[in-house]
Amino acid sequence: MTDAVGSIDMPDAEDEAPESKKKTRKGGKRAKKGPLKRLALFYRQIVAELRKVVWPTRSQLTTYTTVVIIFVVIMIGLVTVIDFGLDKAAKYVFG
């Protein structure tokens, strides 16, 4: 049975590439640089990535902070009520 690419029983020609033609590199470009140059490159890449970040405005930051604080206060209240209820239930059951 054949399809548009080839036979099911026969692999494609590009799958049969001889192993001798593949080049293996040890270390790549990093092996050529010293540790200080690699460290400097790392920090340059960090600065480049931080420049891509879209920083929130002051009003957005205030809004986000307020939402998080309100959410945390609500969750603290919820956990406190559940804890108090379970405490009362345990005292009722176990004396």
Side-chain angles (χ1 to χ4, degrees), residues 22-76:
K22 293 183 180 179
K23 292 183 181 178
T24 58
R25 292 179 9 186
K26 292 185 179 179
K29 293 181 181 179
R30 277 192 205 168
K32 296 176 185 176
K33 296 181 181 179
L36 292 178
K37 287 187 179 183
R38 285 187 289 168
L39 189 63
L41 174 65
F42 177 70
Y43 283 115
R44 281 196 307 267
Q45 289 173 344
I46 288 174
V47 171
E49 288 297 322
L50 285 175
R51 286 187 180 142
K52 295 177 187 178
V53 173
V54 178
W55 297 99
T57 62
R58 184 172 293 274
S59 65
Q60 288 174 331
L61 188 62
T62 304
T63 304
Y64 298 156
T65 304
T66 305
V67 168
V68 167
I69 289 173
I70 290 172
F71 177 76
V72 168
V73 167
I74 290 171
M75 292 307 295
I76 288 172

Side-chain angles (χ1 to χ4, degrees), residues 1-25:
M1 175 185 232
T2 61
D3 57 359
V5 176
S7 173
I8 294 175
D9 299 328
M10 301 283 294
D12 293 337
E14 55 190 289
D15 292 340
E16 297 178 2
E19 297 295 325
S20 62
K21 289 186 178 182
K22 293 183 180 179
K23 292 183 181 178
T24 58
R25 292 179 9 186

